[in-house]
Amino acid sequence: LPKGEERAEEVAVAGRIMTRRVMGKLAFFTLADESGTIQLFIDRAALQAAHPDDPDVFERITTLTDAGDWIGVHGTLRRTDRGELSVKLTGWTMLTKSLQPLPDKWHGLADVEKRYRQRYLDLIVSPHTRETFRRRAVLVSTLRRWLDERGFLEIETPVLQTEAGGADARPFTTHHNALDLPLTLRIATELHLKRLVVGGFERVYELGRIFRNEGVSTRHNPEFTSVEIYQAFADYHDMMALTEELIAAAATQVCGGTVISYQGVEVDLTPPWRRATMHELVQQATGLDFNAFTTREQAAAAMEAADLAVPETA
């Protein structure tokens, strides 16, 4: 619609009120749903004309609603003189009343603890948080689709296990009352997936939750998602190729390409990636070729000469 023009056909939308501005005989609300926001243009005369038997229709919507309320509205589409697409109201319905006020729109949800413990509140006021959730969902579906298209089967393995294995981590423990059996939540999917390969499945994977009863930080959560992939008749070269192709495909789907920016650093995920052995990386970082040493003492002396920390003897 061009600026200042209006369509005659009526539309209906619903969403949460995010902001309200009441200025005499006019009011402007911002209505939001998952797809985005739209402005509500509420003109007292126009709303009253649509409801001639209800003299308080304008007062009700401007006094009984609050930021956070869910409402349904109908009216005509118009674009304001400032170019903002709006719905000019001819009617409205209260869908759900918000009993608590939303965080201040200018400062947002600044309390980090509250953001994590009341994630639903963070989602309401932080579009970038919703985008993170959406991208994660796309990432998960991309991983599954990419693997499925290449003949891999996703097979669910037990979450409750009689013995923690597949990784070195402290498990969460529980007890099966009916069997009087101590159990642990899995710390890895590895062992059961490998048993499937032993049993004759040639390409298997599982993308699922893992539980490790250890520390909590911004980089470590006791409950997290991992994907483990196993393929018969393949070596580590095949798995390196699979990994880089899988990650590149996920980056393309989620970020729109294989060149992404992370914490101000540009990262190019375009295959093929550089491949190096641990020995080569150590030599690059320290300048020492550990293949040249025949004893630990020779290596320690070379490290001291290069002013590198020498590990204590086990």
Side-chain angles (χ1 to χ4, degrees):
L1 282 175
K3 292 182 180 180
E5 290 197 7
E6 182 177 337
R7 285 184 179 171
E9 61 267 25
E10 194 169 81
V11 298
V13 295
R16 177 187 279 116
I17 299 174
M18 300 303 294
T19 62
R20 302 168 71 256
R21 288 180 294 140
V22 181
M23 300 173 293
K25 297 180 181 181
L26 292 177
F28 297 89
F29 291 5
T30 301
L31 204 66
D33 66 2
E34 186 179 1
S35 63
T37 62
I38 193 169
Q39 178 175 266
L40 304 184
F41 174 72
I42 310 170
D43 177 65
R44 180 172 185 168
L47 190 58
Q48 187 65 66
H51 299 270
D53 299 329
D54 187 357
D56 298 324
V57 61
F58 180 80
E59 282 69 22
R60 277 204 306 278
I61 191 171
T62 55
T63 60
L64 298 182
T65 60
D66 297 288
D69 293 349
W70 284 83
I71 63 173
V73 301
H74 52 89
T76 55
L77 277 180
R78 71 185 302 269
R79 194 172 293 278
T80 66
D81 293 337
R82 293 185 176 183
E84 187 163 0
L85 187 64
S86 306
V87 176
K88 185 177 180 180
L89 254 66
T90 57
W92 73 284
T93 302
M94 176 69 77
L95 301 178
T96 303
K97 183 66 182 172
S98 176
L99 301 182
Q100 297 290 337
L102 294 179
D104 179 82
K105 74 167 186 172
W106 300 112
H107 299 94
L109 190 57
D111 188 333
V112 175
E113 183 78 8
K114 181 170 288 189
R115 287 183 60 194
Y116 286 135
R117 293 190 178 276
Q118 295 178 261
R119 182 62 84 181
Y120 54 89
L121 190 59
D122 186 28
L123 291 170
I124 291 174
V125 299
S126 304
H128 64 276
T129 301
R130 290 200 301 273
E131 181 60 23
T132 298
F133 274 65
R134 185 176 291 109
R135 287 190 174 201
R136 187 188 187 282
V138 173
L139 170 63
V140 169
S141 64
T142 300
L143 294 179
R144 285 196 165 105
R145 184 169 58 254
W146 192 93
L147 290 166
D148 292 345
E149 289 173 351
R150 285 154 182 79
F152 287 87
L153 292 177
E154 181 174 22
I155 300 181
E156 291 183 325
T157 61
V159 174
L160 288 173
Q161 301 183 352
T162 56
E163 183 176 334
D168 183 14
R170 179 182 301 165
F172 286 93
T173 59
T174 186
H175 189 82
H176 194 301
N177 292 331
L179 298 178
D180 190 22
L181 185 67
L183 296 173
T184 67
L185 296 181
R186 66 185 180 191
I187 60 175
T189 55
E190 176 180 340
L191 298 183
H192 285 85
L193 288 172
K194 285 181 174 178
R195 289 166 184 154
L196 290 169
V197 175
V198 171
F201 288 101
E202 295 181 2
R203 297 188 178 198
V204 295
Y205 77 96
E206 184 174 9
L207 197 157
R209 304 299 277 180
I210 300 298
F211 309 88
R212 299 184 181 182
N213 194 3
E214 297 177 342
V216 180
S217 71
T218 56
R219 301 175 64 86
H220 185 186
N221 198 38
E223 176 186 356
F224 61 94
T225 301
S226 78
V227 59
E228 292 201 30
I229 306 166
Y230 293 90
Q231 179 178 347
F233 311 113
D235 60 15
Y236 67 98
H237 293 289
D238 298 308
M239 299 312 291
M240 284 193 289
L242 181 150
T243 300
E244 65 185 17
E245 291 171 12
L246 175 58
I247 293 177
T252 300
Q253 191 68 33
V254 176
C255 303
T258 54
V259 179
I260 64 174
S261 177
Y262 178 71
Q263 296 184 348
V265 178
E266 186 176 276
V267 180
D268 189 352
L269 298 173
T270 307
W273 298 351
R274 177 195 174 194
R275 300 186 182 185
T277 65
M278 181 62 72
H279 174 76
E280 292 169 344
L281 296 176
V282 171
Q283 186 173 7
Q284 176 183 322
T286 66
L288 301 178
D289 181 0
F290 281 85
N291 284 336
F293 309 129
T294 58
T295 66
R296 184 184 185 282
E297 289 71 24
Q298 290 177 346
M303 292 180 68
E304 288 179 349
D307 196 23
L308 300 173
V310 179
E312 295 182 2
T313 305

